[in-house]
Amino acid sequence: MKDTVAPRLRVGKYVLPYALLLPAMVLILAILIYPIFDTLRLSFYNVKLTSIEQPFIGLDNYRAVLSERLLRVVLKNSFIWTLGSILVQFLLGFGTALILDRSGRLGSIIRGLLLVPWVMPGIVIAFIWRWILSPDWGVLNFTMTRLGLIDSYQPWLARPTSAMISLVIANGWKGFPFWMIMITAGCKAINQEIYDAAAVDGAAGWRMIWYIILPLLKLPLFVTSTLAFIWTFNYFDLVFALTRGGPVDATRTVPLYIYDTAFTAFRMGEASATSVLLLALMSVAIFLYIRLLRIQGGHLS
Amino acid sequence: MRTWRWYTRLIMKHGPAAIFIVLVIIFAFFPFYWMIITSFKPPSEIFRDPPTFIPQNLYLGGYRKLLVDPAFVGYMKNSTIVAGGTALIATFVASFAAYSFSKFRFPGNRVMSFSLFLTQLFPQSVILVPLFIVFQHYRLYDTYAALILSNLAFSVPVSIWLMIGFFEAIPQELGDAALIDGCSRLGVLFRIILPIARTGVVATAMYIFISAWSELLFALTFTTSKTIRTLPVALSMFIGQYTADWSGLLAAATLTCLPVAIIFLVLQRYFIEGMTSGAMKE
């Protein structure tokens, strides 16, 4: 970010940087920033696709959305899905990161391979899990009956509770590598001497993890949780493709609700109002994330 | 000789850690294994109880059917066009912006570049309705352009953010020397920065390709006709209707994740670098 050479042209120095940004900024403003503000505007209108007339209706969309009984269900589902996924991802990611941390070349190869689920398209993951969970030929049913855990084959995705648990496990499976990588990065910043000192003082095993490692990883863990919260809360593909929000709305999350309100029920104004509410909720998380980065910058680097 | 952290040694010695890792590896890879072997099983074997964990007969029917199906080949083509177009445009536009952010000092530099990263945190569903209306209005609905544009909304900021990292690793002196030798500032980008950072630029383009290749929500919302539909949308339509052709379905799923897996395994190092530094720095 330094510009040490004396500028040959003032234009080169003061105009060029902005000119270089122009194409990217035009695109971002047109297809990201403008639509966000347009959502806000649309949330105050009765948007009809069939007619040009779009009357201003003030807060009616918000009133309609907030009095919708389904909204509360959808919010509850979203929180269960997000927090459940995060818990599974944390446990798997934390465990693998700690064990593979500095365990040589083999460790880093395993770590690289374990990342594969994380990059896979959500739709492919949905296919795989549908097949594994299949009520008639699913390998999960087969294994569990053989192990004596269940008596008969279960329709996992057709029951409210087990459908949500299936989603959480599938998403935990997809997302844990991100936690693993972030925690590994956090571990790199910890000094070996701290462990040695703690070991001398008699810390070992779980006590070591609880009193030494977790406190030292506090900030990276908070940053990762915030990011994972935002991404998981808004993640559409996997839920849509695995359960479509069913059975009977038991796994319907906010993005699915917005999608269906807008493109199945064609209530675009209400979908916009819901989007605005979602954005407000996310802003809290984003604000927290920025705060955490500030703190982290001050302490670690 | 790498030093093992003492606790790693400790738990490794006691076994549970090793068992944990083995279980995680099985948990992580069994689903892929199951998808791939199922895609090679003939229908008679797929619906056998108990299931076969190693396919008894190699069956290529699932793949053969897909690869001669003009519809499926069409979806692959559409996905390639959309993902390729998004990756090309995003990388091109972003390389200018990243050059500006990483090598020039100007008011707003830090604020703007950090805001770019924050766009990643916006819900995709929030821009759905307005983009839908705009695309309908400009007759872009159900065209490649709509898909490429909507993918660019999030791809351009991410590309800029990733490339800033790669460009900043190049010493300022190289560019300065070229300026003294009479190279223009734009020439510095094309003759010095881009050639040196080419692996990073390719990795960025590939990252965008993968995410556009996998993208479902925009593709689902902004297309209706089969001639434009991308692979993820086509797959999501298959999954909706009840069907017994699991070898065909899982062959389609395998083919969809194949390019992603190949690209990822080749460029893994850059992915890891990009995701950790992106999330942890302001």
Side-chain angles (χ1 to χ4, degrees), chain A residues 22-235:
Chain A
L22 196 65
M25 290 307 161
V26 168
L27 271 176
I28 294 171
L29 283 175
I31 51 193
L32 186 66
I33 308 298
Y34 161 77
I36 288 176
F37 282 102
D38 205 34
T39 300
L40 186 63
R41 184 186 66 83
L42 289 169
S43 71
F44 298 111
Y45 287 82
N46 185 4
V47 188
K48 292 175 196 151
L49 281 184
T50 42
S51 75
I52 307 153
E53 204 188 325
Q54 295 185 353
F56 179 83
I57 51 168
L59 291 171
D60 280 4
N61 285 324
Y62 289 92
R63 253 175 239 131
V65 169
L66 290 172
S67 63
E68 177 78 68
R69 196 197 63 85
L70 188 56
L71 182 74
R72 223 177 298 163
V73 177
V74 165
L75 274 173
K76 196 189 86 197
N77 291 341
S78 271
F79 276 103
I80 294 174
W81 140 263
T82 307
L83 298 178
S85 302
I86 286 183
L87 183 68
V88 176
Q89 290 167 359
F90 164 73
L91 290 175
L92 291 174
F94 189 68
T96 44
L98 279 196
I99 294 166
L100 297 176
D101 182 37
R102 304 243 177 120
S103 55
R105 181 134 183 77
L106 183 67
S108 71
I109 292 173
I110 296 176
R111 216 163 32 219
L113 287 174
L114 284 178
L115 275 169
V116 171
W118 183 69
V119 286
M120 284 302 141
I123 186 78
V124 169
I125 287 170
F127 259 85
I128 299 178
W129 284 91
R130 270 218 169 201
W131 175 234
I132 290 175
L133 297 165
S134 158
D136 308 308
W137 311 287
V139 70
L140 183 73
N141 273 325
F142 168 78
T143 316
M144 286 181 83
T145 40
R146 282 305 145 100
L147 292 175
L149 295 170
I150 49 173
D151 301 329
S152 58
Y153 282 20
Q154 304 294 317
W156 302 108
L157 293 174
R159 296 220 180 98
T161 310
S162 62
M164 183 53 97
I165 294 173
S166 306
L167 269 182
V168 163
I169 289 173
N171 196 39
W173 176 78
K174 179 179 166 52
F176 87 87
F178 176 69
W179 284 78
M180 177 182 74
I181 287 302
M182 297 293 279
I183 292 168
T184 304
C187 283
K188 289 229 164 71
I190 300 177
N191 199 323
Q192 176 73 44
E193 284 159 25
I194 297 172
Y195 296 111
D196 298 337
V200 170
D201 291 342
W206 292 109
R207 287 168 57 85
M208 185 69 151
I209 290 176
W210 188 253
Y211 291 109
I212 310 293
I213 300 174
L214 275 176
L216 283 173
L217 287 176
K218 204 161 63 188
L219 275 168
L221 284 174
F222 277 141
V223 169
T224 312
S225 323
T226 322
L227 276 181
F229 176 84
I230 296 170
W231 285 333
T232 313
F233 204 92
N234 295 315
Y235 192 40

Side-chain angles (χ1 to χ4, degrees), chain A residues 18, chain B residues 101 106-113:
Chain A
Y18 294 108
Chain B
F101 281 129
F106 55 88
N109 183 322
R110 261 177 64 82
V111 175
M112 278 202 278
S113 59

Side-chain angles (χ1 to χ4, degrees), chain B residues 8-28:
Chain B
T8 311
R9 224 163 23 208
L10 185 92
I11 8 195
M12 272 293 184
K13 214 164 50 187
H14 288 271
I19 295 167
F20 180 80
I21 283 293
V22 170
L23 288 178
V24 171
I25 291 173
I26 294 172
F27 179 60

Side-chain angles (χ1 to χ4, degrees), chain B residues 80-251:
Chain B
T80 312
I81 291 172
V82 170
T86 307
L88 273 179
I89 298 172
T91 320
F92 186 73
V93 169
S95 63
F96 289 110
Y99 175 48
S100 176
F101 281 129
S102 60
K103 301 293 176 197
F104 294 84
R105 190 195 295 203
F106 55 88
N109 183 322
R110 261 177 64 82
V111 175
M112 278 202 278
S113 59
F114 184 63
S115 320
L116 284 177
F117 181 74
L118 290 185
T119 59
Q120 256 203 296
L121 306 176
F122 288 138
Q124 214 189 352
S125 50
V126 167
I127 62 173
L128 222 48
V129 173
L131 278 185
F132 178 84
I133 293 171
V134 167
F135 288 153
Q136 290 236 314
H137 185 260
Y138 290 102
R139 294 173 193 283
L140 289 171
Y141 180 76
D142 208 21
T143 64
Y144 292 133
L147 292 187
I148 292 174
L149 280 172
S150 53
N151 276 310
L152 283 174
F154 290 99
S155 302
V156 170
V158 179
S159 314
I160 297 175
W161 186 261
L162 290 174
M163 277 201 273
I164 290 176
F166 294 119
F167 289 2
E168 275 182 351
I170 299 173
Q172 184 78 29
E173 291 74 31
L174 286 175
D176 291 348
L179 281 178
I180 292 166
D181 289 345
C183 190
S184 70
R185 283 177 189 273
L186 214 51
V188 171
L189 172 64
F190 286 105
R191 290 181 198 188
I192 314 284
I193 310 270
L194 284 177
I196 295 177
R198 60 180 180 276
T199 343
V201 174
V202 171
T204 307
M206 288 293 148
Y207 177 80
I208 301 304
F209 185 91
I210 287 185
S211 49
W213 178 269
S214 315
E215 202 285 322
L216 176 67
L217 183 53
F218 289 146
L220 199 64
T221 314
F222 302 139
T223 59
T224 44
S225 51
K226 277 191 169 181
T227 48
I228 303 294
R229 211 175 267 172
T230 58
L231 266 181
V233 181
L235 286 179
S236 79
M237 306 260 161
F238 291 149
I239 216 170
Q241 67 215 25
Y242 191 73
T243 167
D245 184 19
W246 275 102
S247 59
L249 288 177
L250 292 169

